[in-house]
Amino acid sequence: MVSRMFVGIFLICLSALLAFGGGQQEKQQTETGEKVVLTVWADSFFTPKWQGRQGPVLDAVWRDFEAKENVKLELQLVPYPDFQAKLLTALSAGNPPDVAIADQYWLASMVNTGGVEDIGAAWPQRDREDFFNWSVEGVMVEGKVYGIWYSTDARVLYFRKDILAEKGFMEPPKTWQELYGAAQKLNSTDQYGLGMVLSGEGGMCTLLIDYWSLDGGLVDSKGKPAFNSGANKEALTKIFEFDKMLYDEKLIPSDSVTYMSENDMNPRIFAGGYAMFFGGGWQIGNIQDNMNPQAAAQWDIHLRPQPAGGKPSSLAGGFDLNVFVSDPVKKDKAVKFIRHLSDPVNGAKFAAASRGLPVRKSVYQTDSFFSTDPYMIKYGQILPYAKTRPNSVIYPIISDSVMKAMGEYISGEKSIEQALSDAEKRVLTQQ
Amino acid sequence: MAVNKENVLRNIFTYFLFIAVVLAAFIPILWIIITSLKRTIDIFSYPPVIIPVRPAFENYLKIFKLAEMSRTFLNSIIVATSTTVSVILLSSLAAYGFSRFRFKEKGVLMLILLGTQMIPAVTNIIPLYITMLRLHLLDSLTALLLIYAALNIPFSVWILKSYLDSIPISIDEAAMIDGANRLYIIFRIIFPLCLPGIAAASLFVFIQCWNEFYLALVLTSTLKSRTIPLGLFTFQASYDIQWNLLSAASVVAMLPIILLFIILQESFVSGLTKGAFKG
Amino acid sequence: MIKRKGHLLFLLPALMAVLLLTLYPSLYAVFLSFTNKSLINPDYSLVGLKNYLELFSSGEFWSSLKVTIIYVVITIFFQLTAGFLLASVTEKSRFGRKLVRTVVLISWVIPEVIVALTFKWMFIGDKYGLVNAFLLQTGLVRESIKWLSRGNLTLLVAIGMTVWRGTAFSMIMQAAGLQSVPKELYEAVEIDGANNLQRTLFVTLPLISSTLLINLIIISIATFNVMSLVYAFSGGGPFRATEIISIYMYKSAFKFFRFGFASSISIVMFLLNILFTLTYIKITKREFIT
C-alpha cells in the first residue's frame, strides 16, 4: 500500500517530466514563409515582463514588431548578476540566443569569445549619425560594429536643492574645492554631505569620470595597462587622495567602501540620508518611485565637480543590443528587431518609461518628454561630455585591480605607490 | 525529576532565554513578510514602517499573474518531487546493499560516496554544462533531476543505511525462510518499517532541490525549466530591486516546504534515531 | 550479515548515478586546473603547476584562507551549540516544540538571496538600518554601529547570518540523537544526585557523540562551501574582510573568467574539506563507517 503510493507518485513525476521536462530544440533552418522564432535574452528591466512603467510599453513595442515582420519573439529572462557569465558560457559552447540585451562593457569579452555578429552592413550610416559619437564607438571593436546601443545612463552629481539653499548654496558645487567646502557644511548628524561608491564596477565608474576629466587613459595603443605611469599616475594619485580625504573626514559614510553599485546607496537616499551623491541617470527614476513627490522634486542634477585643471566629464553606461545568430534569414529579422527597438520613437518610449536616457541626439529635440522634462534636458546637455569604458578584454581586470588598490590605500594598508604598482602587476600576470 | 527551587529557577531562565532566541530568530522572517505587504513607497521610509497602513495584498497577485511565478512554482515542484522519489528509490536499494551485506569494498565505497559531497558544487558547472549540451538536455528539468539526484544520493544512502542498521536482520531472515524473494522483502516488509528514515531523507532532498541556485542558473534559461530561486531574480534587475515583490515571491516559495514539514513532522525526527547513532 | 553475492545489484544504480555525474566532472576540473582555460579565449593550453604556484604566492589566497577558517570555525561552533540547546529544550517539553521547529525550518528554507539581502539591509550602518534603529530607540547605544564598514563587524554579521540559517539542520539532527538516549539512564543518574550540568556532560554528550561527529562533518563541509549567501550579503568586502575562499574562486571564474585558475582553487578547497574531515575523525578516534 505504501509502495503503491510510491509507485504512483513516481509515475506521475515521470509523466510530468516527459510533458514538461523537454530539452533544447535542435537549431532549425527556417523556410521562407514560415514564422521565424527569435530567442531573446535580457534582464527583466528591459522586457515586457517588468512590473513597472516600461512593462506595458515594451509589450506594445514587441507585439508591434511581431505582427509587422511575422516573427515570434521568445523572451528568456536572465538574472543580471550572472548574465555575463551565462552569455560567455553559451557563446563558448556555440549555443547563444539569437539576440541579447547586454550591458555595454561586456562587449569586448563577448567578441573575443567569438559569436557576436557584425551588423555594420545592415545599419545605414545616416542612422548612425543620429547617435552620440561615443555610443557608436562603444559598440565597435577593431573597426567592426557589433550591436546598437539601446539606452544609456550618465553618471552625474545629484543634490538636494532645498538643503543646499538652506546652507546658502544657490548653485551646486562645480569644482572639487567647492564640493569639499559644501560637503563639510552640509554634513550633519542626520545626513551625510556626500554619497559615493568606492568599490566594484560602480566605484570604477565613479573614479573614471574624474580620471577622464584629467585626461587619464587606462590602456595604451597596444592594449597594455597604462595607468601606473606619467600623467596617468598623477591623475590617479590625485583622485585617490581626494577620496581618502572625504572618507577620513566622514563626509561620506564609511559604508561607501562596501558599495559596488550606485543602487547600493538607494536605501539611504530614500530615507533622506544624503545631501548630495554621485549617481546614475536611472536613479532619478528610483527616487521618483520610492520617495514622496515633494521630497523627490527637491533632487536636481549637474555635471560632476571637476578637479583643478580638469574638464567637464561624465561616464555613459548602458545596454546595447547584440545579434548572435548567423543564419541569414534569422539574422535579417534579428537586425530588424534591434533597429525597431532602438528607432527614434520606440527607443524614446522605452527610455521615458524606464527613466533611462536615449542615445539619439534628435530625441532630445523632438520628443515631447525629453525636450520638456527638466531632468532630461539637463542630461541631454551633459551627455555630449560623456565617455565610455574602453572595449578592451582586460578592462574588467584593470577595473578590479584599480579598485582594490584604492581600497588598500583608503584602509591605510598600502601607500599609493605600492598599491598602484601591485595593481599593475596583477593586471599583467592575469592577462 | 527532583523538583526544588534551584531547578525551577533554572528552568524558567532556560525557557526565557529560549523564547528570546526564538523571537530574535523570527525577526528577519517577520521583516520579509512585512515587506511583502508594502507598497513601493513604504519600503524605504524612515522611521521604518512596521505595519503597513494599507497592506498591499496585490503584490501576491502581481507575482503570479504577471511574473510567471506559477510556472516556476510548478517546475520546482516537479523537479523536487521527482528527484526525491528517484533518490529514495536508488538510495534505499543501495542502503540495503550496504547494510545487509558484508564485503570488503564496503568502507571504500562509502568513503567515495561521502567524498563526492566535499567537492564544491561550483567546480563541476562547466563540465556539466558541456555534457548536458551534448545530450541535448540543456534547459530541461530532466538535466536538473539527473544532477540533483547524483548530488543527494550519498547523504540519503547514509541516513537510510544507519536506519536500516537498526532494524534487526532477523526480520529479513524470517521472511526469507517463509520463501519471499529479496525484492519483496525490501518493499513490502522493510520499507514500511523505514518510513521515518525515508521521511527524513525525503525532506532533506526536497529542500536541497528547492533551494538550489547555481546549477539551475547555468543549465536552464527559459521559463519552461526555470525553478523558483531563478524566478526570484525577475525582481532583482540591473537598475532596480523590487523588494516588496521579491519578498512576496520568497514567502510563496517557502510555503510548500513548510507544508511538507508539518505533514512529515513526527515521523521525521524519529527517522533519524532508532539507535542509528549509538556509539 | 548474510551472503556476499548479489550486493552489487543493489548498489550499482546509485553508485553509477553519483559517479557519472559527480566524479567525472570533478576529474575534468582537475584537468582544467592544469590549464589556462579562460572563457573569453577559445584557445587554451596546459600550463602545469602555474595556477597552483600563482595561487600559493598570492596574498589574496592566504587572506581568504584565514577569513574562511575564522568564518567556518565560529559558525559551526555556534550552530552545533545552538542546535544542541534548542534540541534539548524542545525535547523535554512539548511546549513550543512545533513552533520552534517551524521557525527554525523557515530560516533554513528561505531562498539564500533574500536572506542575504534582508540581513544586509537590516544592518545598514546608520540609523536607517533596522538593527541600529532599534538600538538607538531603546537607548542601548548612543551612536549607530557601523556594521558593514568595519571588517570584523561585517564578518561577525555574516557569521550570525550563517548561524541563523544553518542551525536548523543541527537542531534536527541532534533532536534525533537525543531521542535515542534511554530515559532510564537519566533517572538512574538523577537518583545518584547528579544535577543538570553533570547529567549533560557525562551522560548525554557521550551518548550522542556519533551524532555530533556526523553533524560536525556535514556542517563543516556545507559551511566551507557557502558562497552566494555571503557574496550577496557583502560581496566579500569591506576590503575583502569577508572574502571567503569560495568567493575568491567564484570571482576568478565568473568575473575574470579564468576557469583554469578557478579550478585550481576548487581543487585546493576539496583537499581542505578532506583535511577537515580526517582531522575530526582522528581527534575523536571514531569509526563512523561500519
Side-chain angles (χ1 to χ4, degrees):
Chain A
M1 148 244 35
V2 167
S3 334
R4 228 168 288 178
M5 184 180 76
F6 216 61
V7 171
I9 297 182
F10 186 63
L11 285 176
I12 295 180
C13 293
L14 204 59
S15 32
L17 262 181
L18 286 173
F20 294 100
Q24 79 254 31
Q25 255 60 48
E26 299 279 350
K27 295 256 167 183
Q28 281 148 0
Q29 294 302 105
T30 42
E31 316 269 322
T32 40
E34 207 178 82
K35 202 174 222 190
V36 171
V37 177
L38 289 179
T39 51
V40 182
W41 284 10
D43 110 56
S44 52
F45 191 80
F46 293 88
T47 68
K49 290 284 174 194
W50 182 252
Q51 300 305 307
R53 280 180 306 256
Q54 67 261 34
V57 169
L58 286 173
D59 197 45
V61 170
W62 286 36
R63 283 195 207 282
D64 178 37
F65 178 76
E66 284 184 312
K68 220 166 52 173
E69 294 284 336
N70 197 26
V71 167
K72 180 155 169 15
L73 294 169
E74 246 178 37
L75 166 64
Q76 294 156 19
L77 298 177
V78 183
Y80 179 72
D82 293 287
F83 198 168
Q84 185 182 13
K86 204 150 164 54
L87 267 176
L88 290 174
T89 311
L91 279 169
S92 71
N95 191 33
D98 298 323
V99 174
I101 306 182
D103 199 319
Q104 168 271 335
Y105 75 96
W106 301 340
L107 188 63
S109 57
M110 294 199 293
V111 170
N112 208 52
T113 310
V116 192
E117 287 292 312
D118 175 355
I119 60 157
W123 189 19
Q125 185 62 29
R126 213 180 356 130
D127 193 41
R128 286 187 221 186
E129 279 159 14
D130 189 23
F131 286 73
F132 287 111
N133 283 350
W134 47 258
S135 71
V136 178
E137 280 157 29
V139 290
M140 288 172 62
V141 177
E142 284 171 17
K144 300 214 190 88
V145 177
Y146 286 106
I148 300 182
W149 203 303
Y150 188 25
S151 89
T152 187
D153 53 65
R155 263 70 164 187
V156 297
L157 170 77
Y158 278 77
F159 62 97
R160 286 280 298 260
K161 287 186 295 207
D162 52 346
I163 296 177
L164 262 69
E166 257 175 57
K167 301 282 182 170
F169 292 99
M170 294 307 153
E171 293 272 315
K174 309 241 174 48
T175 66
W176 276 12
Q177 196 66 351
E178 289 174 20
L179 177 70
Y180 180 61
Q184 276 181 321
K185 278 217 138 150
L186 294 163
N187 220 26
S188 71
T189 44
D190 271 345
Q191 202 172 59
Y192 283 96
L194 184 64
M196 64 188 281
V197 178
L198 282 179
S199 74
E201 189 57 29
M204 189 62 178
C205 290
T206 310
L207 177 145
L208 277 175
I209 294 181
D210 291 325
Y211 192 60
W212 286 331
S213 174
L214 293 168
D215 266 327
L218 284 180
V219 282
D220 62 23
S221 48
K222 295 197 210 73
K224 296 271 175 237
F227 57 84
N228 195 29
S229 49
N232 290 344
K233 186 166 167 189
E234 275 172 39
L236 269 185
T237 307
K238 278 198 203 139
I239 297 172
F240 276 23
E241 284 172 350
F242 186 61
D243 289 346
K244 183 162 163 66
M245 182 170 70
L246 295 171
Y247 178 81
D248 285 340
E249 297 193 21
K250 302 212 194 314
L251 298 171
I252 58 179
S254 44
D255 275 8
S256 309
V257 295
T258 61
Y259 296 155
M260 302 202 289
S261 121
E262 286 87 348
N263 277 359
D264 290 336
M265 295 191 282
N266 279 355
R268 230 193 228 109
I269 296 175
F270 302 148
Y274 293 119
M276 305 183 281
F277 69 93
F278 292 158
W282 70 90
Q283 283 176 295
I284 192 64
N286 296 153
I287 287 176
Q288 287 169 341
D289 285 337
N290 286 286
M291 292 180 78
N292 69 58
Q294 301 97 295
Q298 293 302 327
W299 283 104
D300 202 355
I301 60 170
H302 197 269
L303 263 176
R304 283 267 298 268
Q306 289 129 43
K311 46 183 218 252
S313 159
S314 181
L315 181 143
F319 281 67
D320 58 15
L321 304 157
N322 305 110
V323 174
F324 304 103
V325 63
S326 53
D327 167 70
V329 174
K330 287 182 113 176
K331 180 173 171 179
D332 172 64
K333 295 290 186 189
V335 178
K336 288 207 171 92
F337 177 53
I338 67 176
R339 292 200 59 205
H340 174 84
L341 282 180
S342 60
D343 76 24
V345 175
N346 292 328
K349 268 193 221 168
F350 169 65
S354 65
R355 297 289 188 278
L357 300 176
V359 250
R360 286 178 180 271
K361 295 181 276 210
S362 61
V363 171
Y364 292 92
Q365 320 296 341
T366 59
D367 183 84
S368 55
F369 177 66
F370 287 99
S371 59
T372 55
D373 178 271
Y375 297 111
M376 295 308 157
I377 293 179
K378 291 216 176 84
Y379 277 118
Q381 292 164 346
I382 292 175
L383 275 176
Y385 293 109
K387 284 175 71 164
T388 63
R389 290 160 281 183
N391 269 342
S392 149
V393 177
I394 63 169
Y395 170 72
I397 303 180
I398 294 184
S399 167
D400 181 76
S401 287
V402 170
M403 279 296 109
K404 180 158 186 269
M406 174 142 93
E408 286 164 346
Y409 171 60
I410 290 189
S411 67
E413 196 185 319
K414 293 187 189 167
S415 69
I416 295 188
E417 186 71 40
Q418 183 67 39
L420 283 180
S421 120
D422 286 347
E424 190 181 27
K425 259 193 238 134
R426 271 194 304 272
V427 177
L428 289 170
T429 50
Q430 285 185 33
Q431 276 190 275
Chain B
M1 302 251 178
V3 176
N4 53 33
K5 221 192 294 185
E6 213 181 86
N7 257 354
V8 170
L9 273 177
R10 187 174 289 137
N11 280 344
I12 294 183
F13 176 70
T14 315
Y15 283 133
F16 186 70
L17 194 64
F18 168 74
I19 293 178
V21 164
V22 169
L23 276 179
F26 196 60
I27 288 180
I29 301 172
L30 201 61
W31 187 246
I32 294 176
I33 299 178
I34 291 176
T35 309
S36 73
L37 291 172
K38 287 186 176 171
R39 299 166 302 168
T40 312
I41 207 164
D42 289 327
I43 301 176
F44 290 106
S45 44
Y46 184 81
V49 170
I50 306 293
I51 304 185
V53 159
R54 191 183 79 53
F57 291 111
E58 67 268 17
N59 289 343
Y60 285 88
L61 279 179
K62 273 190 195 169
I63 62 177
F64 272 103
K65 275 167 70 178
L66 309 173
E68 317 172 324
M69 267 230 86
S70 20
R71 182 56 194 255
T72 341
F73 209 76
L74 181 67
N75 287 340
S76 276
I77 291 193
I78 294 180
V79 169
T81 317
S82 2
T83 308
T84 307
V85 168
S86 326
V87 166
I88 297 296
L89 262 175
L90 291 181
S91 316
S92 36
L93 283 176
Y96 190 82
F98 275 117
S99 168
R100 294 305 193 237
F101 294 88
R102 183 203 314 235
F103 51 97
K104 56 177 154 53
E105 305 89 3
K106 197 197 287 202
V108 173
L109 283 177
M110 284 222 73
L111 267 171
I112 291 184
L113 269 187
L114 281 158
T116 60
Q117 301 291 76
M118 299 187 204
I119 303 172
V122 198
T123 316
N124 293 339
I125 280 186
I126 301 302
L128 283 173
Y129 180 82
I130 298 180
T131 311
M132 289 303 162
L133 177 67
R134 296 218 187 102
L135 289 175
H136 296 292
L137 281 176
L138 264 192
D139 196 34
S140 69
L141 297 179
T142 315
L144 293 180
L145 161 67
L146 289 173
I147 298 185
Y148 291 170
L151 288 175
N152 284 292
I153 284 177
F155 186 64
S156 304
V157 167
W158 184 81
I159 292 186
L160 289 173
K161 172 187 175 292
S162 304
Y163 199 81
L164 274 173
D165 280 345
S166 69
I167 293 181
I169 210 161
S170 47
I171 298 187
D172 296 50
E173 286 169 346
M176 278 200 287
I177 289 175
D178 282 349
N181 78 13
R182 235 183 235 293
L183 270 179
Y184 180 85
I185 296 177
I186 295 180
F187 283 109
R188 282 313 186 93
I189 299 177
I190 309 284
F191 217 60
L193 286 174
C194 276
L195 272 183
I198 292 178
S202 305
L203 190 69
F204 280 128
V205 175
F206 196 90
I207 292 180
Q208 293 294 93
C209 297
W210 196 259
N211 279 346
E212 202 283 328
F213 176 69
Y214 266 102
L215 288 167
L217 174 71
V218 171
L219 296 174
T220 67
S221 21
T222 70
L223 180 64
K224 74 171 191 257
S225 57
R226 189 172 308 138
T227 52
I228 286 186
L230 290 182
L232 290 183
F233 267 95
T234 312
F235 311 108
Q236 188 188 349
S238 47
Y239 282 124
D240 201 3
I241 299 182
Q242 298 176 298
W243 290 92
N244 45 358
L245 297 180
L246 183 59
S247 305
S250 305
V251 169
V252 168
M254 298 190 248
L255 293 176
I257 306 213
I258 297 177
L259 197 66
L260 193 67
F261 185 65
I262 293 180
I263 295 177
L264 293 176
Q265 257 278 10
E266 289 312 307
S267 47
F268 178 56
V269 170
S270 64
L272 291 169
T273 177
K274 268 283 180 123
F277 303 98
K278 287 228 170 69
Chain C
M1 302 291 158
I2 327 183
K3 322 177 255 182
R4 286 178 325 154
K5 284 205 266 256
H7 62 274
L8 270 181
L9 206 60
F10 292 100
L11 302 176
L12 223 48
L15 278 175
M16 293 259 47
V18 172
L19 291 179
L20 273 178
L21 289 161
T22 324
L23 214 55
Y24 161 67
S26 312
L27 290 173
Y28 185 64
V30 173
F31 165 68
L32 275 182
S33 73
F34 294 117
T35 69
N36 61 356
K37 178 154 177 67
S38 154
L39 197 52
I40 53 180
N41 197 340
D43 314 307
Y44 67 99
S45 51
L46 283 168
V47 292
L49 290 173
K50 180 153 166 269
N51 288 329
Y52 291 96
L53 287 172
E54 184 190 332
L55 186 63
F56 291 125
S57 61
S58 78
E60 287 114 16
F61 170 67
W62 295 107
S63 68
S64 70
L65 192 60
K66 187 178 96 181
V67 172
T68 311
I69 292 182
I70 296 178
Y71 172 72
V72 171
V73 168
I74 301 184
T75 302
I76 62 186
F77 172 73
F78 279 109
Q79 282 186 358
L80 269 179
T81 329
F84 178 70
L85 286 172
L86 285 173
S88 336
V89 176
T90 49
E91 200 231 345
K92 271 189 277 214
S93 68
R94 305 225 150 249
F95 165 71
R97 186 194 309 199
K98 271 217 163 94
L99 175 69
V100 170
R101 295 226 178 113
T102 313
V103 169
V104 156
L105 180 79
I106 293 181
S107 66
W108 190 22
V109 154
I110 303 182
E112 269 182 348
V113 146
I114 210 179
V115 171
L117 292 179
T118 304
F119 270 82
K120 178 170 173 174
W121 188 18
M122 277 170 48
F123 283 90
I124 284 181
D126 56 26
K127 64 180 193 184
Y128 308 110
L130 200 64
V131 171
N132 274 332
F134 171 72
L135 291 174
L136 284 171
Q137 302 272 14
T138 56
L140 281 169
V141 293
R142 235 169 308 137
E143 219 182 69
S144 39
I145 305 183
K146 306 263 173 269
W147 297 105
L148 299 180
S149 30
R150 303 264 290 284
N152 30 15
L153 283 180
T154 316
L155 189 56
L156 191 68
V157 178
I159 290 175
M161 174 177 69
T162 317
V163 169
W164 180 83
R165 183 178 175 67
T167 298
F169 180 77
S170 297
M171 184 192 82
I172 292 176
M173 286 230 94
Q174 304 204 32
L178 282 176
Q179 280 203 0
S180 68
V181 175
K183 299 280 181 288
E184 305 84 52
L185 271 174
Y186 286 143
E187 286 164 14
V189 170
E190 291 269 330
I191 290 171
D192 281 351
N195 66 19
N196 268 348
L197 187 61
Q198 288 171 326
R199 192 184 71 201
T200 310
L201 278 180
F202 298 117
V203 178
T204 319
L205 285 182
L207 279 177
I208 61 168
S209 53
S210 321
T211 321
L212 280 175
L213 178 65
I214 301 300
N215 200 168
L216 184 62
I217 292 179
I218 293 179
I219 62 179
S220 291
I221 298 176
T223 312
F224 199 71
N225 291 342
V226 162
M227 205 289 294
S228 47
L229 186 66
V230 178
Y231 188 67
F233 170 68
S234 67
F239 307 133
R240 318 174 120 232
T242 56
E243 187 167 286
I244 47 185
I245 204 171
S246 51
I247 292 185
Y248 180 48
M249 181 190 92
Y250 172 78
K251 277 188 176 169
S252 308
F254 293 105
K255 296 294 169 206
F256 305 132
F257 309 111
R258 302 177 63 206
F259 281 152
F261 185 64
S263 299
S264 66
I265 302 180
S266 66
I267 299 300
V268 170
M269 283 174 70
F270 174 53
L271 294 172
L272 282 171
N273 267 330
I274 297 188
L275 197 69
F276 260 93
T277 309
L278 286 177
T279 315
Y280 292 144
I281 298 184
K282 261 285 149 62
I283 292 185
T284 58
K285 297 197 213 310
R286 294 209 80 89
E287 191 57 66
F288 75 102
I289 300 176
T290 41

